[in-house]
Amino acid sequence: MVALWCCFCCAAERFPHHWIHIGQIGKFLRLARAAGCRDVVFIGALVRPSLWQVHPDFKGLRVLPRAIAAYRGGDNHLLSGMGKLLEDEGLHLVGAHEVAPEILMPEGTLGRVQPSERDRADVGLGLDYLHAAGRFDIGQAVVVAGRHVLAVEAAEGTDAMLGRVAEMRANGRVRAPRGTGVLVKAPKPAQDRRFDLPSIGPRTIEGAGRAGLAGIAVVAGSTIVAEFEQLVTAADRANVFVLGVPSGSEQ
Amino acid sequence: MVALWCCFCCAAERFPHHWIHIGQIGKFLRLARAAGCRDVVFIGALVRPSLWQVHPDFKGLRVLPRAIAAYRGGDNHLLSGMGKLLEDEGLHLVGAHEVAPEILMPEGTLGRVQPSERDRADVGLGLDYLHAAGRFDIGQAVVVAGRHVLAVEAAEGTDAMLGRVAEMRANGRVRAPRGTGVLVKAPKPAQDRRFDLPSIGPRTIEGAGRAGLAGIAVVAGSTIVAEFEQLVTAADRANVFVLGVPSGSEQ
């Protein structure tokens, strides 16, 4: 039995689950132990809670100073701090890619659309940027067209960034023709792969299509593909390529 | 007499001027020479034109291959390519800071609001990020709160980025309390200071206020302050600090 620590879990409808408040560490540990869990998997994006939204139980109160120390700093810092806290309680943290390797992006393209040489140059520039910016623990995504960076993701998330590119194309701020440009996502260089791996799903494809992009590039083996078949169908329909670059290309 | 190459020039109402289409290099040179201009100053932000919007005259057609080569690549590349082209015609390119040093941001604070130690730590992180990302010729601005990067500017511009931060605060995606966080602007590390220096004006202050930021930090001597007095009044009214960090702090 694996305990899932999950913010917005699509699996919740189908599997036995419990909802807990942020900060109910004691309740989480009690439920996990009662179900015989020894492993924990973190799933989903992190929206940093306000400290006022945390409702700690007794155990939560005891670990509050450590949680606050983890909260200060970037997302990686927060996640690894919370991870260590659970490991000190005897739980073993594993990555989603370890329990379900089939959800990871393979090398090469999904669907029938292929990137052009120009697209590959944009992918290269995007990977370089993400590598250089990675130590700042910012976002994991960037949009590049014609070797020009159009948008950088930070707290707003990938979908909002793609919406911005669509808007800039519509209002003429971005003049690169439709059908050019790529969304590039990559894990941060020092990222603990047990937390918050970049992910793509049909919604990402639709966002890229609305933004008029040629395609999406992610790092093979380090990116979660949600709803694989729907994603491939959406990519072919939107005429968008989906490319898995070999791990190490981002360095 | 100085020729101003200016996209949206507030001075146009007050001074003798001519409007020309993008690409009318021949007309520009003729007008500049007729007025006895030897120096050219580039003013204003660059919105990259679509090549279809360029209406070249005869001279413009002759330099089109060089203009297209300059267009490919980042903004610096485009601006310095256009600059070289004018210099080959015997005009001397000078920076706005050379003809009007009084429009540059001084060291220290404007207005009565002072940054806290926490704000200064956010400023330091923002400058580090801009230095690291500078070689990608992206934007020149970033928003940092609690040592966490909230937003990075690329093609959308500073005002749109501040609007995004205000929106993320309103919809709960950003939980850092109002009155924390800074906007940091800096020239790109390899930037030719004759083009597109970062600038701030009363609108930047209002945007920072709506985004709930504590203040704005820019590099002294490398930032244009538009409408100085209105900016100071706006900063005091919005309770926002305006800090000029010494040049070199961004490295």
Side-chain angles (χ1 to χ4, degrees), chain A residues 45-50 53 71-75 125 128-130 132-133 135-138 146-157 164 168 172-176, chain B residues 45-50 53 71-75 125 128-130 132-133 135-138 146-157 164 168 172-176:
Chain A
L46 176 79
V47 174
R48 299 170 71 82
S50 156
Q53 294 180 303
Y71 187 86
R72 296 191 172 147
D75 293 344
L125 181 67
D128 281 352
Y129 166 79
L130 291 172
R135 72 179 170 93
F136 292 94
D137 198 0
I138 306 184
R147 289 183 284 170
H148 193 237
V149 176
L150 300 185
V152 175
E153 176 187 337
E156 75 275 23
R164 180 160 85 244
M168 287 194 288
R173 187 148 187 117
V174 162
R175 314 286 182 147
Chain B
L46 177 79
V47 175
R48 297 170 72 81
S50 156
Q53 295 181 303
Y71 187 86
R72 296 191 173 145
D75 293 343
L125 182 66
D128 281 353
Y129 165 79
L130 291 172
R135 71 179 172 93
F136 292 93
D137 198 0
I138 309 182
R147 287 183 283 170
H148 193 238
V149 175
L150 299 185
V152 175
E153 176 187 336
E156 75 276 22
R164 177 159 88 245
M168 288 194 288
R173 186 145 188 120
V174 163
R175 313 287 183 148

Side-chain angles (χ1 to χ4, degrees), chain A residues 67-143:
Chain A
I68 289 174
Y71 187 86
R72 296 191 172 147
D75 293 344
N76 279 354
H77 197 240
L78 173 55
L79 287 165
S80 61
M82 297 311 291
K84 278 204 198 81
L85 211 147
L86 293 174
E87 293 214 314
D88 287 349
E89 295 295 329
L91 286 161
H92 181 223
L93 265 178
V94 294
H97 58 290
E98 293 172 275
V99 294
E102 69 279 7
I103 65 173
L104 292 182
M105 179 71 188
E107 275 187 37
T109 48
L110 304 180
R112 60 167 175 72
V113 189
Q114 298 296 321
S116 68
E117 276 313 300
R118 191 190 51 195
D119 298 332
R120 285 183 187 271
D122 285 342
V123 170
L125 181 67
L127 290 171
D128 281 352
Y129 166 79
L130 291 172
H131 185 68
R135 72 179 170 93
F136 292 94
D137 198 0
I138 306 184
Q140 300 167 303
V142 68
V143 173

Side-chain angles (χ1 to χ4, degrees), chain A residues 1-42:
Chain A
M1 175 67 86
V2 173
L4 286 171
W5 183 290
C6 165
C7 303
F8 305 100
C9 186
C10 11
E13 299 296 313
R14 283 183 273 161
F15 300 106
H17 63 278
H18 303 277
W19 291 97
I20 60 170
H21 283 289
I22 299 169
Q24 293 189 304
I25 311 281
K27 188 172 176 186
F28 176 81
L29 291 170
R30 215 161 42 242
L31 289 165
R33 281 174 188 143
C37 296
R38 277 174 304 181
D39 296 332
V40 179
V41 177
F42 277 40

Side-chain angles (χ1 to χ4, degrees), chain B residues 109 114-125 182 241 243:
Chain B
T109 48
Q114 298 296 319
S116 67
E117 275 313 300
R118 190 191 52 197
D119 297 332
R120 285 184 187 271
D122 285 343
V123 170
L125 182 66
V182 293
F241 72 78
L243 174 66

